[in-house]
């Protein structure tokens, strides 16, 4: 298993991985090749893929705003789960964020994502109960589709 920095050349395999995961939310603009390329240019060292025999079996988009890191689209291929790949990728991203002086990391997990929520709890992340999450859509064309 090779854990390494994600590049735009990984897009086709990463996108195929996303599309293989039931319940995964894909945004029409942000998760396009152009959107991911923009994200990776802004955050060139913090996103990660897990590769086995030349095939990407896990991925995390990770970036920061100079103050707080954020993980997006954390996933491992269903046939490769329970082998420590997710945790290894999270550790990789957190080390990359530390090198850039980031001291806190957050993520959003859908409430109905039982597997994901169990994973975050298992590896020691804290579910916040003391705040509300708000967002505002600037581009109505950037819709989320959930993989069936």
């Amino acid at each position: 298993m090779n854990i390494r920095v994600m590049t735009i050349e990984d897009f086709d395999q990463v996108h195929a991985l996303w599309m293989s995961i039931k319940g995964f939310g894909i945004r029409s603009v942000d998760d396009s090749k152009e959107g991911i390329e923009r994200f990776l240019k802004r955050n060139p060292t913090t996103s990660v893929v897990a590769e086995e025999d030349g095939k990407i079996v896990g991925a995390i988009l990770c970036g920061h705003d100079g103050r707080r890191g954020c993980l997006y689209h954390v996933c491992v291929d269903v046939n490769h789960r329970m082998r420590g790949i997710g945790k290894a990728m999270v550790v990789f991203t957190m080390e990359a964020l530390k090198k850039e002086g980031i001291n806190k990391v957050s993520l959003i997990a859908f409430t109905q994502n039982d597997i994901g929520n169990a994973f975050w709890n298992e590896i020691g992340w804290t579910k916040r109960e003391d705040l509300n999450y708000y967002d505002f859509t600037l581009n109505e064309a950037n819709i989320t589709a959930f993989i069936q």
Side-chain angles (χ1 to χ4, degrees), residues 4 24 99 102-103 106 126 128-129 131:
R4 62 171 175 78
F24 204 81
K99 287 178 186 172
I102 303 302
N103 298 306
S106 63
T126 304
R128 299 280 303 259
E129 303 286 349
L131 54 81

Side-chain angles (χ1 to χ4, degrees), residues 81-137:
R81 293 179 182 167
M82 305 302 293
R83 293 175 37 196
I85 296 169
K87 186 174 182 180
M89 290 190 307
V90 170
V91 168
F92 184 101
T93 61
M94 292 171 71
E95 290 298 323
L97 290 168
K98 280 184 188 178
K99 287 178 186 172
E100 297 200 24
I102 303 302
N103 298 306
K104 191 153 184 147
V105 186
S106 63
L107 63 91
I108 297 169
F110 290 111
T111 56
Q112 294 181 351
N113 180 355
D114 295 333
I115 293 170
N117 285 299
F119 170 77
W120 296 114
N121 186 54
E122 175 75 22
I123 67 169
W125 285 55
T126 304
K127 181 180 176 189
R128 299 280 303 259
E129 303 286 349
D130 62 330
L131 54 81
N132 294 315
Y133 175 79
Y134 296 90
D135 68 13
F136 189 88
T137 301

Side-chain angles (χ1 to χ4, degrees), residues 2 13 15 18 24 44 46 48 61 75 93 118-119 124 133 146-147:
N2 182 34
Q13 284 194 63
H15 190 267
W18 293 341
F24 204 81
T46 53
V48 61
L61 287 177
C75 63
T93 61
F119 170 77
Y133 175 79
F146 291 95
I147 308 307

Side-chain angles (χ1 to χ4, degrees), residues 12-26:
D12 290 337
Q13 284 194 63
V14 169
H15 190 267
L17 174 62
W18 293 341
M19 298 302 288
S20 75
I21 298 176
K22 184 179 179 189
F24 204 81
I26 299 291

Side-chain angles (χ1 to χ4, degrees), residues 60-75:
I60 299 177
L61 287 177
C62 175
H64 69 84
D65 59 9
R67 179 179 171 138
R68 180 179 297 240
C70 193
L71 305 184
Y72 305 90
H73 290 351
V74 178
C75 63

